[in-house]
Amino acid sequence: MSSHITAVYQGVDGAYSQLVLQAWFGARGLDVRTVGVPSYREVATSLAGLRADAGVLPIENAIVGTVRETYDLLAEYDAMPIGEALMRTDHRLLGVRGASLSDVREVLAHPLVIAECGRFLASLTQARAIPCEDTGVAAREVARGGNPSIAALAPAPAAALYDLTELARHCADDPRTFSRFLILRPRIDAPGVLRDLQPSARRKTSLVFTLADAPGTLARALGHLDAGKVNLSKLESKPRLGHASDHVFYADLDGDAADASVAKALDGIRREARTLTILGSYDAHDGDPLEAGGEGADGAAHATTAMTYVQPIATAAKSPKGAAQFPRVDRDSKPHGTVLQVGGVRIGGGEFVIIGGPCSVESREQIMATAQAVKAAGAVMLRGGAFKPRTSPYAFQGMGWEGVALLAEAGRATGLPTISEVMTIDQVERMAAQVDMLQIGARNMQNFDLLKAVGRSGHPVLLKRGLSATIEEVLSAAEYILSEGNPHVALCERGIRTFEQATRNTLDLSAVPVLRERTHLPILVDPSHAVGVRRWIAPLCMASKAVGADGLLIEVHPNPSEAKSDKDQALTFEDFTRIVADLQRVPAAPYAPVRV
Ligand code: PEP
Ligand code: MN
């Protein structure tokens, strides 16, 4: 069987990750075209955005331990493991031709490699180690510099690739050292050849879970494994950001999540845990670790050309019959729910967020006073429009970039992350540089090119429901953003057009539980634009929280009767303060399926 697979790895030619891809796919009779990208995150986003068929990330090293970033990226992006590979990391010291060991004053190496070669480096008393992003880069830089006093720690094949000479072999402190890598594919829409790979007899499952800091929680969680005779092959913890007393655990189990005993144990852990993310089940590595090239420097025969970007391999998600139409936004694709991180604020995951601010930024005094007032009341983010989608071309159109700068200034002064609307593609990049979250307004919910542009930005996005958009259309619009590789999306119900004239729009509160069931994305409610009348906003705020929204977007103005846009719905500081206080007494919907 032969088929072309494009696979991404972090680094440039000669990196261990590249060798792993070649060995893993080679062993399965698959041709692989390897493409180097600058960061681990870009490996994940290339997969989530379907710009690569496969990828690889290191997950653990026998000396240094867990590469947590990999677990975190797999929890964040739509990429899943399909296989595990162990590779012995046999580091060589490579220098330019003619150099000798005694010439060496600087050694370029990946930080992990520096840790693995501590004794060897200490023996080079004249030389200091310089961290470098990747072993391939280290070798390439040495070759480019042509300086005999600079050497690199890299695998053997890098010598031939960059025409370097080996100054020392087997530099790791322990010759048995190895790294574990995960071979990855996009969670959805992987090429058939990867979907059709037969699972091997030995499977493993990786997970990330969080536990409350209370007596017995870990013992009870692990007890479920014991009860099902499921072997735990790895467990590591760290404090949970923003919840210092809770702990995040990174764990690997023997077996597939679909095995009855593993599934039962995972259900048990889910009951004990605040959150549980199953990163996936994959083929365990079989046999001895792979070797990174031969004894000498002749193992580079398969090295391919590194590129810094990859072309999309698929333009549309091809859903199998009966599968969700929105593979990326569907709740099944991330049952535990998405939690966005916007500045220091988390949206989703059980916390109720309140975003307050004026419809439009009108002046420094106005936005500064509003920022301080909403913060004092308990809001955690600041809104303010600078590009306004007004019905009449003669109405105030917003302050434009000057307004954005004032919003950003007020955000910095108060420490509140900011959100503002983008109306055109050419505003996206500049807006993303200045505010923490991009708003897609109701009128642009189906501006598909704009959705793709905010998708490509990777910046958090609040997608508002269109004035006449069905729930299916909202989900489909969100799918556009996620399909570009940007998972940082929250939805906003802001009222829809109905026959009813008593209110500006009709707040569709039933959309909240429906969306909650259909998608893992957080759901906010904007009662201001929905009802359009100041005195009806308070009850709708309470109802939104009770029905299970993740938060509110509310318009506030220092002097509503003077507001340049939407003055009938702007709350005074006093009204806003009272509403935020009253919301404390409303319990969040107890049946919200998100537990973080
Ligand atoms: C706004 O939030 O300022 C706004 C214009 O909202 P919508 O797009 O929901 O009308
Ligand atoms: Mn408004």
Side-chain angles (χ1 to χ4, degrees), residues 359 383 388-389 421 439 441-443 464 494 526 529 555:
C359 179
R383 63 152 287 151
K388 296 303 302 178
E421 177 166 353
Q439 178 171 316
R443 288 153 196 82
K464 298 187 88 175
R494 47 75 71 204
D526 169 356
H529 290 89
E555 287 189 345

Side-chain angles (χ1 to χ4, degrees), residues 127 151 209 212 223 261 298 315 322 387 473 475 527 544 549 555 570:
F209 58 97
S261 55
D298 55 359
T315 47
F387 297 97
E473 286 163 343
L475 293 169
S544 301
E555 287 189 345

